[in-house]
Amino acid sequence: MNKSFNFFTPTQLLFGPGRLEDLKDIAPKYGSKCLLVSRPLQGSLKSTYKRVEKLLNSANIEVAFFDEIIPNPTIEGIEKGVKIASKNKVDFVLGVGGGSVLDSAKLIALLYHPEGIITWEKAFNSYNHPFNYVASKKHTLPFIAVSTTSGTGSQCTQAAVISDNKKKEKITLFHLDLFPKVAIVDPELMTSVPAGVTAATGFDAFTHAFESYLGGRTSPLTRQMSLEAIELVVENLPKAIQKPKNIEYRTQLAWADTLAGMCLSNGGADLPHPLGEIIGGICPRIAHGETLAMVYPSFLKYKKNIAPDKFKEVASFLGLKKDPDKLSLKIEELLKITELSYARERAELTKEEKNEILTHPLLSKLEPKNSNEIIAIMEESII
Ligand code: NAD
């Protein structure tokens, strides 16, 4: 056991079916005018947005809307959001949605400036390490997260991912002020998530729990949390896909996502995340969880020999007799049941895209640097 470790999770968590109602009591603590960041107001989350607006109005909070967030959100979206926030002189930012909305709302709050000016270079150069301390900015606004998917853990991480579509890159920014002040995790909001999104997001939660467990920054606390999250996803993800309206399955997945997010924010991710982000940067049409599913079979073969003890521990927890091969098979079985094993076919990568992915400069910078093994993992994942 590590005798010395750090654990940090500053976000106030309001978890459970029906907890969205708490928004009317929580929100006024952060001011009287908010920017609601969301997917299009008339889209699949229409009824949730109506409820949120009603709750805010009942608490006498004025609402400015920014509903143009797209999956794999972009730099341009953040710039527009900051402009709307500054024009409306809002007191706080509220994000209601999946990881794409939460990450965008986080960045709008962090990078807020009264004149709407963003200094991206400074952000990219200073907010680039998950565990470095960087002092708070002068104008940052408080941020409240309401998650509507179970996967990214964004409601309890210090990270936000955006796409630079000109450079074809996905970039992760880290700052302690990217931890939301409050996270509302209400599984009732997740019963409308379509099967494909449930699968991709649920597997994302699995990867956060598993990869942080494989790393060197675990603690007795995160190890327990990771194992529980892994088991919850393995047991409940296939069931939630079959019965999307079942609140018990949705609650278990939302809890797994939250546990895994806390593990990720304290332990970090492993190789599949940068590999997945290379694919997602070049092909923003592919969902984050699908890019992870593409690289996982090859990653498992590679990592099983590097971290056999960790594989044995996870296998043992799942009742697989301390057998690393059985764990890999179990994870591949999860990919099959959830149809994520077809992610590569669904991606329909063109020859040019495959070439861009395999010659991406980041591949040679990943540990172990300049390794043929990393290229081979990527090759096996996309060819
Ligand atoms: P998403 O937010 O892109 O949502 C996917 C789709 O599901 C969208 O069309 C959305 O409108 C829809 N949707 C969301 N909630 C719904 C609901 N309740 N009912 C019906 N439809 C719903 O997907 P995501 O996987 O949650 O987020 C992905 C983003 O999060 C990526 O950009 C990824 O890189 C990022 N990410 C961030 C972190 C972090 O720590 N900040 C971690 C992992 C991934």
PDB file of all heavy atoms in Angstrom, residues 39 44-45 71-73 98-101 103 106 148-149 152 154 157 159-161 170 189-190 192-194 197 201 204 208 264 288, ligand 1:
ATOM      1  N   ARG A  39     -26.381  22.035 -25.859  1.00  0.00           N
ATOM      2  CA  ARG A  39     -26.614  21.644 -27.260  1.00  0.00           C
ATOM      3  C   ARG A  39     -27.843  22.440 -27.719  1.00  0.00           C
ATOM      4  O   ARG A  39     -28.474  23.120 -26.889  1.00  0.00           O
ATOM      5  CB  ARG A  39     -26.882  20.130 -27.324  1.00  0.00           C
ATOM      6  CG  ARG A  39     -25.676  19.291 -26.936  1.00  0.00           C
ATOM      7  CD  ARG A  39     -24.743  19.059 -28.109  1.00  0.00           C
ATOM      8  NE  ARG A  39     -25.300  18.111 -29.044  1.00  0.00           N
ATOM      9  CZ  ARG A  39     -25.249  18.271 -30.381  1.00  0.00           C
ATOM     10  NH1 ARG A  39     -24.717  19.348 -30.918  1.00  0.00           N
ATOM     11  NH2 ARG A  39     -25.762  17.342 -31.181  1.00  0.00           N
ATOM     12  N   SER A  44     -32.456  16.980 -28.723  1.00  0.00           N
ATOM     13  CA  SER A  44     -32.918  15.815 -27.950  1.00  0.00           C
ATOM     14  C   SER A  44     -33.033  16.106 -26.452  1.00  0.00           C
ATOM     15  O   SER A  44     -33.690  15.368 -25.728  1.00  0.00           O
ATOM     16  CB  SER A  44     -31.983  14.626 -28.180  1.00  0.00           C
ATOM     17  OG  SER A  44     -30.667  14.977 -27.814  1.00  0.00           O
ATOM     18  N   LEU A  45     -32.416  17.191 -25.991  1.00  0.00           N
ATOM     19  CA  LEU A  45     -32.500  17.520 -24.552  1.00  0.00           C
ATOM     20  C   LEU A  45     -33.484  18.669 -24.283  1.00  0.00           C
ATOM     21  O   LEU A  45     -33.431  19.288 -23.209  1.00  0.00           O
ATOM     22  CB  LEU A  45     -31.109  17.884 -24.035  1.00  0.00           C
ATOM     23  CG  LEU A  45     -30.195  16.668 -23.781  1.00  0.00           C
ATOM     24  CD1 LEU A  45     -28.734  17.057 -23.817  1.00  0.00           C
ATOM     25  CD2 LEU A  45     -30.530  16.041 -22.443  1.00  0.00           C
ATOM     26  N   PRO A  71     -20.679  18.144 -30.713  1.00  0.00           N
ATOM     27  CA  PRO A  71     -19.810  17.081 -30.182  1.00  0.00           C
ATOM     28  C   PRO A  71     -18.375  17.311 -30.670  1.00  0.00           C
ATOM     29  O   PRO A  71     -18.156  17.761 -31.793  1.00  0.00           O
ATOM     30  CB  PRO A  71     -20.400  15.805 -30.785  1.00  0.00           C
ATOM     31  CG  PRO A  71     -21.830  16.152 -31.069  1.00  0.00           C
ATOM     32  CD  PRO A  71     -21.820  17.599 -31.461  1.00  0.00           C
ATOM     33  N   ASN A  72     -17.404  16.991 -29.828  1.00  0.00           N
ATOM     34  CA  ASN A  72     -16.005  17.368 -30.067  1.00  0.00           C
ATOM     35  C   ASN A  72     -15.930  18.884 -30.285  1.00  0.00           C
ATOM     36  O   ASN A  72     -15.636  19.361 -31.392  1.00  0.00           O
ATOM     37  CB  ASN A  72     -15.396  16.602 -31.246  1.00  0.00           C
ATOM     38  CG  ASN A  72     -15.108  15.154 -30.882  1.00  0.00           C
ATOM     39  OD1 ASN A  72     -14.761  14.851 -29.742  1.00  0.00           O
ATOM     40  ND2 ASN A  72     -15.253  14.250 -31.841  1.00  0.00           N
ATOM     41  N   PRO A  73     -16.216  19.656 -29.239  1.00  0.00           N
ATOM     42  CA  PRO A  73     -16.370  21.115 -29.383  1.00  0.00           C
ATOM     43  C   PRO A  73     -15.077  21.814 -29.811  1.00  0.00           C
ATOM     44  O   PRO A  73     -13.985  21.289 -29.624  1.00  0.00           O
ATOM     45  CB  PRO A  73     -16.770  21.561 -27.976  1.00  0.00           C
ATOM     46  CG  PRO A  73     -16.266  20.492 -27.063  1.00  0.00           C
ATOM     47  CD  PRO A  73     -16.331  19.215 -27.848  1.00  0.00           C
ATOM     48  N   GLY A  98     -23.619  16.556 -22.111  1.00  0.00           N
ATOM     49  CA  GLY A  98     -22.552  15.564 -22.007  1.00  0.00           C
ATOM     50  C   GLY A  98     -21.199  16.267 -21.900  1.00  0.00           C
ATOM     51  O   GLY A  98     -21.126  17.487 -21.694  1.00  0.00           O
ATOM     52  N   GLY A  99     -20.135  15.469 -22.093  1.00  0.00           N
ATOM     53  CA  GLY A  99     -18.785  16.007 -21.942  1.00  0.00           C
ATOM     54  C   GLY A  99     -18.515  17.198 -22.865  1.00  0.00           C
ATOM     55  O   GLY A  99     -17.794  18.120 -22.480  1.00  0.00           O
ATOM     56  N   SER A 100     -19.086  17.177 -24.076  1.00  0.00           N
ATOM     57  CA  SER A 100     -18.806  18.271 -25.013  1.00  0.00           C
ATOM     58  C   SER A 100     -19.323  19.603 -24.466  1.00  0.00           C
ATOM     59  O   SER A 100     -18.638  20.627 -24.552  1.00  0.00           O
ATOM     60  CB  SER A 100     -19.466  17.984 -26.367  1.00  0.00           C
ATOM     61  OG  SER A 100     -18.922  16.800 -26.920  1.00  0.00           O
ATOM     62  N   VAL A 101     -20.510  19.575 -23.904  1.00  0.00           N
ATOM     63  CA  VAL A 101     -21.091  20.802 -23.333  1.00  0.00           C
ATOM     64  C   VAL A 101     -20.342  21.191 -22.049  1.00  0.00           C
ATOM     65  O   VAL A 101     -19.987  22.368 -21.855  1.00  0.00           O
ATOM     66  CB  VAL A 101     -22.599  20.602 -23.045  1.00  0.00           C
ATOM     67  CG1 VAL A 101     -23.125  21.671 -22.103  1.00  0.00           C
ATOM     68  CG2 VAL A 101     -23.392  20.586 -24.336  1.00  0.00           C
ATOM     69  N   ASP A 103     -17.296  20.491 -21.035  1.00  0.00           N
ATOM     70  CA  ASP A 103     -15.943  21.000 -21.299  1.00  0.00           C
ATOM     71  C   ASP A 103     -15.998  22.416 -21.861  1.00  0.00           C
ATOM     72  O   ASP A 103     -15.188  23.276 -21.496  1.00  0.00           O
ATOM     73  CB  ASP A 103     -15.214  20.083 -22.291  1.00  0.00           C
ATOM     74  CG  ASP A 103     -14.715  18.802 -21.626  1.00  0.00           C
ATOM     75  OD1 ASP A 103     -15.067  18.563 -20.452  1.00  0.00           O
ATOM     76  OD2 ASP A 103     -13.979  18.044 -22.280  1.00  0.00           O
ATOM     77  N   LYS A 106     -16.978  24.821 -19.072  1.00  0.00           N
ATOM     78  CA  LYS A 106     -15.833  24.993 -18.166  1.00  0.00           C
ATOM     79  C   LYS A 106     -14.840  26.001 -18.717  1.00  0.00           C
ATOM     80  O   LYS A 106     -14.321  26.851 -18.008  1.00  0.00           O
ATOM     81  CB  LYS A 106     -15.047  23.671 -18.087  1.00  0.00           C
ATOM     82  CG  LYS A 106     -15.561  22.633 -17.188  1.00  0.00           C
ATOM     83  CD  LYS A 106     -14.614  21.418 -17.307  1.00  0.00           C
ATOM     84  CE  LYS A 106     -14.898  20.422 -16.232  1.00  0.00           C
ATOM     85  NZ  LYS A 106     -13.923  19.355 -16.179  1.00  0.00           N
ATOM     86  N   THR A 148     -25.449  15.004 -18.424  1.00  0.00           N
ATOM     87  CA  THR A 148     -26.575  14.255 -18.998  1.00  0.00           C
ATOM     88  C   THR A 148     -26.116  12.964 -19.676  1.00  0.00           C
ATOM     89  O   THR A 148     -26.915  12.247 -20.260  1.00  0.00           O
ATOM     90  CB  THR A 148     -27.358  15.111 -20.020  1.00  0.00           C
ATOM     91  OG1 THR A 148     -26.497  15.396 -21.124  1.00  0.00           O
ATOM     92  CG2 THR A 148     -27.879  16.394 -19.415  1.00  0.00           C
ATOM     93  N   THR A 149     -24.801  12.687 -19.655  1.00  0.00           N
ATOM     94  CA  THR A 149     -24.299  11.382 -20.108  1.00  0.00           C
ATOM     95  C   THR A 149     -23.484  10.787 -18.958  1.00  0.00           C
ATOM     96  O   THR A 149     -23.105  11.509 -18.034  1.00  0.00           O
ATOM     97  CB  THR A 149     -23.363  11.500 -21.342  1.00  0.00           C
ATOM     98  OG1 THR A 149     -22.230  12.320 -21.011  1.00  0.00           O
ATOM     99  CG2 THR A 149     -24.065  12.072 -22.538  1.00  0.00           C
ATOM    100  N   THR A 152     -17.689  10.792 -19.376  1.00  0.00           N
ATOM    101  CA  THR A 152     -16.435  11.569 -19.429  1.00  0.00           C
ATOM    102  C   THR A 152     -15.898  11.905 -18.047  1.00  0.00           C
ATOM    103  O   THR A 152     -14.732  12.219 -17.911  1.00  0.00           O
ATOM    104  CB  THR A 152     -16.636  12.898 -20.185  1.00  0.00           C
ATOM    105  OG1 THR A 152     -17.479  13.742 -19.399  1.00  0.00           O
ATOM    106  CG2 THR A 152     -17.246  12.673 -21.547  1.00  0.00           C
ATOM    107  N   SER A 154     -16.342  14.527 -16.698  1.00  0.00           N
ATOM    108  CA  SER A 154     -16.000  15.959 -16.752  1.00  0.00           C
ATOM    109  C   SER A 154     -16.590  16.740 -15.571  1.00  0.00           C
ATOM    110  O   SER A 154     -16.031  17.756 -15.163  1.00  0.00           O
ATOM    111  CB  SER A 154     -16.504  16.542 -18.078  1.00  0.00           C
ATOM    112  OG  SER A 154     -16.204  17.901 -18.160  1.00  0.00           O
ATOM    113  N   THR A 157     -13.679  16.607 -12.993  1.00  0.00           N
ATOM    114  CA  THR A 157     -12.247  16.645 -13.348  1.00  0.00           C
ATOM    115  C   THR A 157     -11.785  18.095 -13.542  1.00  0.00           C
ATOM    116  O   THR A 157     -12.608  18.996 -13.743  1.00  0.00           O
ATOM    117  CB  THR A 157     -11.935  15.891 -14.663  1.00  0.00           C
ATOM    118  OG1 THR A 157     -12.495  16.628 -15.769  1.00  0.00           O
ATOM    119  CG2 THR A 157     -12.463  14.472 -14.663  1.00  0.00           C
ATOM    120  N   ALA A 159     -10.082  18.876 -16.111  1.00  0.00           N
ATOM    121  CA  ALA A 159      -9.703  18.851 -17.523  1.00  0.00           C
ATOM    122  C   ALA A 159     -10.842  19.322 -18.425  1.00  0.00           C
ATOM    123  O   ALA A 159     -12.015  19.222 -18.059  1.00  0.00           O
ATOM    124  CB  ALA A 159      -9.327  17.416 -17.913  1.00  0.00           C
ATOM    125  N   ALA A 160     -10.466  19.834 -19.593  1.00  0.00           N
ATOM    126  CA  ALA A 160     -11.449  20.143 -20.633  1.00  0.00           C
ATOM    127  C   ALA A 160     -10.770  19.927 -21.981  1.00  0.00           C
ATOM    128  O   ALA A 160      -9.620  20.319 -22.173  1.00  0.00           O
ATOM    129  CB  ALA A 160     -11.932  21.587 -20.522  1.00  0.00           C
ATOM    130  N   VAL A 161     -11.504  19.276 -22.891  1.00  0.00           N
ATOM    131  CA  VAL A 161     -10.914  18.919 -24.185  1.00  0.00           C
ATOM    132  C   VAL A 161     -11.577  19.741 -25.290  1.00  0.00           C
ATOM    133  O   VAL A 161     -12.804  19.797 -25.360  1.00  0.00           O
ATOM    134  CB  VAL A 161     -11.137  17.410 -24.485  1.00  0.00           C
ATOM    135  CG1 VAL A 161     -10.358  16.982 -25.722  1.00  0.00           C
ATOM    136  CG2 VAL A 161     -10.741  16.543 -23.289  1.00  0.00           C
ATOM    137  N   LYS A 170      -6.868  17.556 -31.115  1.00  0.00           N
ATOM    138  CA  LYS A 170      -7.671  17.676 -29.892  1.00  0.00           C
ATOM    139  C   LYS A 170      -6.699  18.053 -28.783  1.00  0.00           C
ATOM    140  O   LYS A 170      -5.650  17.429 -28.631  1.00  0.00           O
ATOM    141  CB  LYS A 170      -8.341  16.348 -29.559  1.00  0.00           C
ATOM    142  CG  LYS A 170      -9.711  16.188 -30.213  1.00  0.00           C
ATOM    143  CD  LYS A 170     -10.402  14.932 -29.759  1.00  0.00           C
ATOM    144  CE  LYS A 170     -11.494  15.270 -28.751  1.00  0.00           C
ATOM    145  NZ  LYS A 170     -12.406  14.129 -28.516  1.00  0.00           N
ATOM    146  N   LEU A 189     -31.903  12.229 -15.961  1.00  0.00           N
ATOM    147  CA  LEU A 189     -31.634  12.985 -17.193  1.00  0.00           C
ATOM    148  C   LEU A 189     -30.983  12.111 -18.254  1.00  0.00           C
ATOM    149  O   LEU A 189     -30.831  12.520 -19.395  1.00  0.00           O
ATOM    150  CB  LEU A 189     -30.709  14.177 -16.894  1.00  0.00           C
ATOM    151  CG  LEU A 189     -31.160  15.121 -15.784  1.00  0.00           C
ATOM    152  CD1 LEU A 189     -30.170  16.262 -15.632  1.00  0.00           C
ATOM    153  CD2 LEU A 189     -32.556  15.677 -16.070  1.00  0.00           C
ATOM    154  N   MET A 190     -30.553  10.905 -17.841  1.00  0.00           N
ATOM    155  CA  MET A 190     -29.783  10.061 -18.761  1.00  0.00           C
ATOM    156  C   MET A 190     -30.627   8.976 -19.426  1.00  0.00           C
ATOM    157  O   MET A 190     -30.128   8.228 -20.268  1.00  0.00           O
ATOM    158  CB  MET A 190     -28.618   9.417 -17.999  1.00  0.00           C
ATOM    159  CG  MET A 190     -27.608  10.482 -17.573  1.00  0.00           C
ATOM    160  SD  MET A 190     -26.760  10.060 -16.071  1.00  0.00           S
ATOM    161  CE  MET A 190     -26.107  11.658 -15.581  1.00  0.00           C
ATOM    162  N   SER A 192     -32.751   9.249 -21.594  1.00  0.00           N
ATOM    163  CA  SER A 192     -32.996   9.511 -23.025  1.00  0.00           C
ATOM    164  C   SER A 192     -31.742   9.328 -23.881  1.00  0.00           C
ATOM    165  O   SER A 192     -31.785   9.531 -25.094  1.00  0.00           O
ATOM    166  CB  SER A 192     -33.520  10.948 -23.194  1.00  0.00           C
ATOM    167  OG  SER A 192     -32.615  11.862 -22.590  1.00  0.00           O
ATOM    168  N   VAL A 193     -30.620   8.952 -23.272  1.00  0.00           N
ATOM    169  CA  VAL A 193     -29.381   8.813 -24.059  1.00  0.00           C
ATOM    170  C   VAL A 193     -29.527   7.635 -25.028  1.00  0.00           C
ATOM    171  O   VAL A 193     -29.854   6.520 -24.611  1.00  0.00           O
ATOM    172  CB  VAL A 193     -28.150   8.595 -23.138  1.00  0.00           C
ATOM    173  CG1 VAL A 193     -26.882   8.457 -23.970  1.00  0.00           C
ATOM    174  CG2 VAL A 193     -28.006   9.730 -22.136  1.00  0.00           C
ATOM    175  N   PRO A 194     -29.293   7.851 -26.350  1.00  0.00           N
ATOM    176  CA  PRO A 194     -29.435   6.758 -27.311  1.00  0.00           C
ATOM    177  C   PRO A 194     -28.423   5.638 -27.064  1.00  0.00           C
ATOM    178  O   PRO A 194     -27.378   5.873 -26.443  1.00  0.00           O
ATOM    179  CB  PRO A 194     -29.155   7.433 -28.662  1.00  0.00           C
ATOM    180  CG  PRO A 194     -29.087   8.887 -28.415  1.00  0.00           C
ATOM    181  CD  PRO A 194     -28.885   9.120 -26.962  1.00  0.00           C
ATOM    182  N   VAL A 197     -24.675   6.191 -27.920  1.00  0.00           N
ATOM    183  CA  VAL A 197     -24.004   7.159 -27.024  1.00  0.00           C
ATOM    184  C   VAL A 197     -23.829   6.522 -25.636  1.00  0.00           C
ATOM    185  O   VAL A 197     -22.801   6.707 -24.984  1.00  0.00           O
ATOM    186  CB  VAL A 197     -24.805   8.489 -26.942  1.00  0.00           C
ATOM    187  CG1 VAL A 197     -24.124   9.474 -25.992  1.00  0.00           C
ATOM    188  CG2 VAL A 197     -24.962   9.114 -28.317  1.00  0.00           C
ATOM    189  N   THR A 201     -20.078   6.275 -24.166  1.00  0.00           N
ATOM    190  CA  THR A 201     -19.784   7.017 -22.928  1.00  0.00           C
ATOM    191  C   THR A 201     -19.510   6.040 -21.777  1.00  0.00           C
ATOM    192  O   THR A 201     -18.603   6.257 -20.972  1.00  0.00           O
ATOM    193  CB  THR A 201     -20.942   7.972 -22.557  1.00  0.00           C
ATOM    194  OG1 THR A 201     -22.175   7.255 -22.604  1.00  0.00           O
ATOM    195  CG2 THR A 201     -21.024   9.142 -23.508  1.00  0.00           C
ATOM    196  N   ASP A 204     -16.114   4.843 -22.038  1.00  0.00           N
ATOM    197  CA  ASP A 204     -15.190   5.923 -21.640  1.00  0.00           C
ATOM    198  C   ASP A 204     -14.983   5.883 -20.115  1.00  0.00           C
ATOM    199  O   ASP A 204     -13.849   5.971 -19.625  1.00  0.00           O
ATOM    200  CB  ASP A 204     -15.794   7.269 -22.083  1.00  0.00           C
ATOM    201  CG  ASP A 204     -14.818   8.435 -21.983  1.00  0.00           C
ATOM    202  OD1 ASP A 204     -13.599   8.175 -21.889  1.00  0.00           O
ATOM    203  OD2 ASP A 204     -15.278   9.589 -22.004  1.00  0.00           O
ATOM    204  N   HIS A 208     -11.425   5.307 -17.908  1.00  0.00           N
ATOM    205  CA  HIS A 208     -10.867   6.214 -16.877  1.00  0.00           C
ATOM    206  C   HIS A 208     -10.519   5.438 -15.610  1.00  0.00           C
ATOM    207  O   HIS A 208      -9.469   5.648 -14.997  1.00  0.00           O
ATOM    208  CB  HIS A 208     -11.866   7.327 -16.541  1.00  0.00           C
ATOM    209  CG  HIS A 208     -12.152   8.208 -17.707  1.00  0.00           C
ATOM    210  ND1 HIS A 208     -13.319   8.926 -17.830  1.00  0.00           N
ATOM    211  CD2 HIS A 208     -11.432   8.464 -18.827  1.00  0.00           C
ATOM    212  CE1 HIS A 208     -13.291   9.594 -18.979  1.00  0.00           C
ATOM    213  NE2 HIS A 208     -12.170   9.328 -19.599  1.00  0.00           N
ATOM    214  N   LEU A 264      -9.646   9.540 -12.518  1.00  0.00           N
ATOM    215  CA  LEU A 264      -8.927  10.173 -13.631  1.00  0.00           C
ATOM    216  C   LEU A 264      -8.278  11.477 -13.178  1.00  0.00           C
ATOM    217  O   LEU A 264      -7.115  11.746 -13.486  1.00  0.00           O
ATOM    218  CB  LEU A 264      -9.917  10.445 -14.775  1.00  0.00           C
ATOM    219  CG  LEU A 264      -9.365  11.147 -16.011  1.00  0.00           C
ATOM    220  CD1 LEU A 264      -8.417  10.219 -16.768  1.00  0.00           C
ATOM    221  CD2 LEU A 264     -10.492  11.584 -16.940  1.00  0.00           C
ATOM    222  N   HIS A 288     -15.580  10.326 -28.939  1.00  0.00           N
ATOM    223  CA  HIS A 288     -14.410  10.019 -28.102  1.00  0.00           C
ATOM    224  C   HIS A 288     -14.388   8.552 -27.655  1.00  0.00           C
ATOM    225  O   HIS A 288     -13.370   7.860 -27.788  1.00  0.00           O
ATOM    226  CB  HIS A 288     -14.442  10.966 -26.891  1.00  0.00           C
ATOM    227  CG  HIS A 288     -13.446  10.658 -25.835  1.00  0.00           C
ATOM    228  ND1 HIS A 288     -12.088  10.768 -26.041  1.00  0.00           N
ATOM    229  CD2 HIS A 288     -13.599  10.230 -24.547  1.00  0.00           C
ATOM    230  CE1 HIS A 288     -11.450  10.426 -24.928  1.00  0.00           C
ATOM    231  NE2 HIS A 288     -12.336  10.093 -24.010  1.00  0.00           N
TER     232      HIS A 288
HETATM  233  P1  NAD B   1     -21.255  14.422 -26.084  1.00  0.00           P
HETATM  234  O1  NAD B   1     -21.332  15.418 -24.998  1.00  0.00           O
HETATM  235  O2  NAD B   1     -20.523  14.823 -27.327  1.00  0.00           O
HETATM  236  O3  NAD B   1     -22.724  13.955 -26.454  1.00  0.00           O
HETATM  237  C1  NAD B   1     -22.929  13.010 -27.492  1.00  0.00           C
HETATM  238  C2  NAD B   1     -24.333  13.147 -28.050  1.00  0.00           C
HETATM  239  O4  NAD B   1     -25.295  12.746 -27.078  1.00  0.00           O
HETATM  240  C3  NAD B   1     -24.691  14.603 -28.422  1.00  0.00           C
HETATM  241  O5  NAD B   1     -25.374  14.602 -29.629  1.00  0.00           O
HETATM  242  C4  NAD B   1     -25.593  15.033 -27.281  1.00  0.00           C
HETATM  243  O6  NAD B   1     -26.493  16.043 -27.640  1.00  0.00           O
HETATM  244  C5  NAD B   1     -26.296  13.736 -26.935  1.00  0.00           C
HETATM  245  N1  NAD B   1     -26.821  13.683 -25.572  1.00  0.00           N
HETATM  246  C6  NAD B   1     -26.174  14.035 -24.422  1.00  0.00           C
HETATM  247  N2  NAD B   1     -26.950  13.788 -23.353  1.00  0.00           N
HETATM  248  C7  NAD B   1     -28.124  13.295 -23.825  1.00  0.00           C
HETATM  249  C8  NAD B   1     -29.335  12.874 -23.209  1.00  0.00           C
HETATM  250  N3  NAD B   1     -29.477  12.859 -21.891  1.00  0.00           N
HETATM  251  N4  NAD B   1     -30.331  12.450 -24.003  1.00  0.00           N
HETATM  252  C9  NAD B   1     -30.196  12.409 -25.352  1.00  0.00           C
HETATM  253  N5  NAD B   1     -29.077  12.789 -25.999  1.00  0.00           N
HETATM  254  C10 NAD B   1     -28.047  13.233 -25.237  1.00  0.00           C
HETATM  255  O7  NAD B   1     -20.587  13.056 -25.576  1.00  0.00           O
HETATM  256  P2  NAD B   1     -19.687  12.746 -24.304  1.00  0.00           P
HETATM  257  O8  NAD B   1     -19.046  11.453 -24.604  1.00  0.00           O
HETATM  258  O9  NAD B   1     -20.435  12.924 -23.061  1.00  0.00           O
HETATM  259  O10 NAD B   1     -18.552  13.878 -24.352  1.00  0.00           O
HETATM  260  C11 NAD B   1     -17.474  13.775 -25.253  1.00  0.00           C
HETATM  261  C12 NAD B   1     -16.510  14.935 -25.073  1.00  0.00           C
HETATM  262  O11 NAD B   1     -15.956  14.913 -23.730  1.00  0.00           O
HETATM  263  C13 NAD B   1     -15.332  14.808 -26.018  1.00  0.00           C
HETATM  264  O12 NAD B   1     -14.990  16.075 -26.534  1.00  0.00           O
HETATM  265  C14 NAD B   1     -14.242  14.245 -25.131  1.00  0.00           C
HETATM  266  O13 NAD B   1     -12.942  14.523 -25.619  1.00  0.00           O
HETATM  267  C15 NAD B   1     -14.529  14.954 -23.831  1.00  0.00           C
HETATM  268  N6  NAD B   1     -13.958  14.327 -22.605  1.00  0.00           N
HETATM  269  C16 NAD B   1     -13.669  15.135 -21.552  1.00  0.00           C
HETATM  270  C17 NAD B   1     -13.118  14.618 -20.387  1.00  0.00           C
HETATM  271  C18 NAD B   1     -12.787  15.541 -19.237  1.00  0.00           C
HETATM  272  O14 NAD B   1     -12.191  15.113 -18.238  1.00  0.00           O
HETATM  273  N7  NAD B   1     -13.125  16.796 -19.301  1.00  0.00           N
HETATM  274  C19 NAD B   1     -12.898  13.247 -20.266  1.00  0.00           C
HETATM  275  C20 NAD B   1     -13.221  12.428 -21.343  1.00  0.00           C
HETATM  276  C21 NAD B   1     -13.763  12.972 -22.510  1.00  0.00           C
END
